[in-house]
Amino acid sequence: MNTATKSYKNWSLQEDDRHILWVALDVPHTTANTLSFAVLQELADIVETIKANTQCRGVVFISGKSSGFIAGADVKEIAAVEDANAAISHMRQVQTLFSQIEALSIPVVAAIHGFCLGGGTELVLACHYRIATNERHTTIALPEVKLGIHPGFGGSVRAVRLLGAIAGMNFVLEGRGVDAQQAKHLGLVDDVVPLRELRRAAAYYIEHQPKVKKMSWVHKIMEISFVRHLLGSLFKKKLAAKVKIDQYPAPYAVIDNWVNVGAVEEKAFAVEAESVGRLLSTTTCRNLLHVFSLQEKLKAAGKEVDFKVQHIHIIGAGVMGGDIAAWCAVQGIKVTLQDPSAEALGSAVARTYELAKRLLKQNHLIQATMDRLCPDAAGDGIAYADLILEAAVENLALKHDIFKKIEAHARMDAVLATNTSSLGLADIGSVLAQPQRLVGIHFFNPVARMPLVEVVRGKHTDKMIAAYAASFVKQIKKLPLLVEDAPGFLVNQIVGGYFAEAFKALNAGESIEVIDAAGRRLGMPMGPLELADQVGLDVCLAVSEHLIGKEAALAQTVLRAKIDKGELGRKTQKGFYVYVKGKPVRSKEKADPQKVIVLERQLFLGLLSRALLCLDEAIVNSIDLVDAGTIFGMGFPPFQGGLLHYAKTMDKQNLAKELAVYRNVPIQEIESSSAWKLLW
Ligand code: NAD
């Protein structure tokens, strides 16, 4: 049979004159390839075709899209699965299909360029050879644990077979992506080549068939039952320091499956599929799938415009401006950075180097990043930039001066933006002849770690300018959340409730340990006082002056007492905690568990009350957007699906009563609010 003549919707087959069959995936009308049911069905037919082709000398799986190889299974299809047995049977079929690929008598090569995730990685693990390009965006991962499941197409079994128990399990448990060099180092790919050499390298592997690596004796020893049990308990200990089994059961299941049956025997595949079948119906999995859909919703902002920033000019090289500059330079944008303080500029350059070293690793990429960052004390970059972002100290008069100068020198089509946390956009823009050009692009601290950026629409902001800002946020691989201009916007206003409860408790004599333990018990990555130290107590004060109505006086008293002593938090090595080598020194005393539980509820009510007020004030107009803000902007635990999603799991009547007591208002006031009606 001539394979070249067969046509498929998603795949294209081309047999060259060396009888190498190039099987390219290019799912139509999408930017990324996914392994949907339809794609897999066609693949099953292709495998039959290959088996029947006696001339074919080898097969290369490759992507027809320049963006990447395969982004994984289709998450929408996974989310729609309700019947565990149907899911298990689907996974078993795909496992059989991948095993058939693995068992082909001719060499099979995966030529990987761009992202290769989830099901895509499971497919390449079933190939005989893997070659990856050394491009920056080539990433290989099995990120299923982030969705509350684990690989189900044989990936968790084959990862251990190929990499050995330690590297293989870590690869699955962490769900983190590795670049091509790391993949080579792990033994996940056989070769790393430039994109232009990818096809040539794939053909070389088919024609020369280098020896396929067999499991080493060390790895074989790790497969012995009692060694598995021993290693399993070590894996669990390490995991327990990061996540709890009742909150994130999937990685624990990965360990149990391996401890129980290992990775060598065929039954490991059945165990893997059944385990995913069970996990699919857990609340954690459902919530994490919901979080995935929230992320997709945020990514929809700004898709109507095609706006790419080549050059950003940033004014202010402090904590935020410096880190934003570093992040943008790493993401490939030319940055001019303006600050009257040479020290601030020097520190920003040093931080950029550290970030580039950490994220990019290779010298030529680090050097290119540093070449893109240009300290510009005189502000010459204003005249050339596509986007000018002000991140100077939080002072209205100073920002007025800065924006007058920006408007006088910027290009007519440049977008003007501010990173202010607490000043109104209309107030800042009042000195502009064209206030419609001004938009808020509000980053969170620390910039490199926080995925969310609020795009703030002032009452004058042009719709198109807000869309450009959202598009820029996506360009630098962050999630844009469009919010209306109101004190504290969305996330800080909600976090304000968390701080207010903490300061109240502190003032009532509660210990720092109890307060922060309560925050962590709620699932937050940091207790409220640790968080205040991280943000900076001066910044918290500036925010609180605009935000916290009735609780403002108390918060300000607490914060001023610290600030007057020069204790501004982590940046001065002293705030609520003392910091040694950047780490807070904690008391050895154990927090009273009863007190922690009571305070946890107060912190939750503080957050919830503020979130509902934000909905009442229409800062955003949907529960989903509030939840996205809480997860990606303040680290509300993803396994709960978002603050309001979590609230909805509680008894409606009791919650209304609790909130009424918390706000000291009649229950009818809660129940008649528009936010309450939206929630239920
Ligand atoms: P910062 O004090 O660390 O840095 C401010 C920088 O502005 C300093 O380096 C200072 O030298 C510089 N500066 C002063 N006058 C200037 C001028 N005329 N031109 C250019 N630069 C000038 O402050 P920060 O924490 O980086 O905050 C900056 C902005 O970002 C503020 O508007 C703040 O509200 C906002 N913000 C802060 C955080 C946070 O957590 N720190 C988070 C989000 C937004």
Side-chain angles (χ1 to χ4, degrees), residues 75-84 87 146-149 247 249 276-294 638-642 645:
V75 177
K76 278 200 199 106
E77 284 182 357
I78 299 176
V81 170
E82 280 176 6
D83 176 11
K146 293 185 181 157
L147 293 176
I149 49 176
Q247 297 174 347
V276 176
R278 274 192 302 277
L279 287 166
L280 270 171
S281 60
T282 58
T283 311
T284 295
C285 175
R286 294 284 127 195
N287 285 347
L288 291 178
L289 286 168
H290 174 63
V291 172
F292 181 85
S293 76
L294 296 179
F639 77 91
Q640 299 283 27
H645 196 81

Side-chain angles (χ1 to χ4, degrees), residues 315-322 324 338-341 344-345 390-395 398-399 401-402 405 418-423 442-445 492 534-536 538-539 542-543 571:
I315 302 181
V319 171
M320 295 306 288
I324 298 167
Q338 178 183 354
D339 198 299
S341 156
L345 288 172
E390 172 278 317
V393 279
E394 194 74 327
N395 173 310
L398 179 96
K399 290 191 194 273
D401 267 359
I402 291 174
K405 282 184 198 137
T418 172
N419 183 46
T420 183
S421 298
S422 57
L423 300 171
H442 182 229
F443 285 81
F444 293 91
N445 182 7
N492 279 351
Q534 165 81 35
V535 171
D538 52 337
V539 177
V543 174
K571 58 186 164 190

Side-chain angles (χ1 to χ4, degrees), residues 130 153 219 295 377 534 623:
R130 287 153 293 279
F153 297 163
H219 293 161
Q295 198 171 321
Q534 165 81 35
I623 288 176

Side-chain angles (χ1 to χ4, degrees), residues 60-109:
V60 181
F61 285 107
I62 195 163
S63 173
K65 292 191 196 294
S66 58
S67 60
F69 185 67
I70 297 173
D74 186 326
V75 177
K76 278 200 199 106
E77 284 182 357
I78 299 176
V81 170
E82 280 176 6
D83 176 11
N85 288 330
I88 294 169
S89 131
H90 172 63
M91 283 179 280
R92 295 292 284 147
Q93 277 173 27
V94 181
Q95 287 177 349
T96 307
L97 173 63
F98 286 6
S99 291
Q100 284 174 13
I101 293 172
E102 193 174 37
L104 284 173
S105 56
I106 48 174
V108 184
V109 179

Side-chain angles (χ1 to χ4, degrees), residues 180-440:
Q181 289 299 347
Q182 291 164 322
K184 173 92 198 298
H185 182 72
L186 277 175
L188 189 56
V189 299
D190 299 278
D191 243 321
V192 177
V193 296
L195 176 59
R196 63 176 185 280
E197 297 289 343
L198 186 62
R199 284 178 168 261
R200 217 162 66 87
Y204 175 90
Y205 269 75
I206 301 241
E207 286 174 335
H208 294 82
Q209 299 188 36
K211 232 179 173 179
V212 174
K213 207 177 80 183
K214 291 258 172 0
M215 211 181 208
S216 72
W217 63 268
V218 181
H219 293 161
K220 279 185 187 153
I221 288 176
M222 287 183 194
E223 285 294 320
I224 298 169
S225 173
F226 83 90
V227 183
R228 288 203 310 266
H229 281 82
L230 199 77
L231 279 176
S233 54
L234 291 179
F235 281 133
K236 278 197 186 162
K237 202 165 156 210
K238 193 170 149 210
L239 186 61
K242 289 193 200 145
V243 292
K244 295 193 182 128
I245 186 166
D246 53 335
Q247 297 174 347
Y248 295 97
Y252 287 89
V254 173
I255 300 174
D256 284 337
N257 295 341
W258 178 69
V259 168
N260 291 337
V261 293
V264 177
E265 291 180 34
E266 283 309 289
K267 65 180 172 208
F269 290 108
V271 167
E272 180 198 66
E274 278 155 23
S275 170
V276 176
R278 274 192 302 277
L279 287 166
L280 270 171
S281 60
T282 58
T283 311
T284 295
C285 175
R286 294 284 127 195
N287 285 347
L288 291 178
L289 286 168
H290 174 63
V291 172
F292 181 85
S293 76
L294 296 179
Q295 198 171 321
E296 296 303 294
K297 265 190 193 145
L298 295 187
K299 284 185 190 160
K303 69 169 190 292
E304 67 274 29
V305 296
D306 180 22
F307 177 72
K308 285 272 173 289
V309 173
Q310 312 279 348
H311 173 186
I312 182 172
H313 182 81
I314 300 175
I315 302 181
V319 171
M320 295 306 288
D323 283 359
I324 298 167
W327 183 260
C328 289
V330 165
Q331 297 305 328
I333 297 177
K334 175 180 173 186
V335 183
T336 41
L337 181 60
Q338 178 183 354
D339 198 299
S341 156
E343 203 185 335
L345 288 172
S347 158
V349 171
R351 271 143 55 209
T352 304
Y353 180 72
E354 288 306 317
L355 184 74
K357 211 164 74 169
R358 182 160 66 81
L359 298 184
L360 305 174
K361 293 183 183 76
Q362 297 176 52
N363 284 341
H364 72 282
L365 297 176
I366 299 169
Q367 187 56 51
T369 301
M370 298 316 291
D371 291 347
R372 281 191 289 268
L373 175 66
C374 178
D376 175 21
D380 295 334
I382 294 177
Y384 306 100
D386 308 301
L387 168 65
I388 297 148
L389 176 70
E390 172 278 317
V393 279
E394 194 74 327
N395 173 310
L396 187 60
L398 179 96
K399 290 191 194 273
H400 276 166
D401 267 359
I402 291 174
F403 273 101
K404 277 193 243 168
K405 282 184 198 137
I406 296 177
E407 200 176 35
H409 294 101
R411 276 175 14 209
M412 281 309 288
D413 61 343
V415 172
L416 314 187
T418 172
N419 183 46
T420 183
S421 298
S422 57
L423 300 171
L425 241 67
D427 293 336
I428 295 177
S430 63
V431 292
L432 293 175
Q434 292 181 305
Q436 68 276 17
R437 290 174 72 182
L438 180 66
V439 62

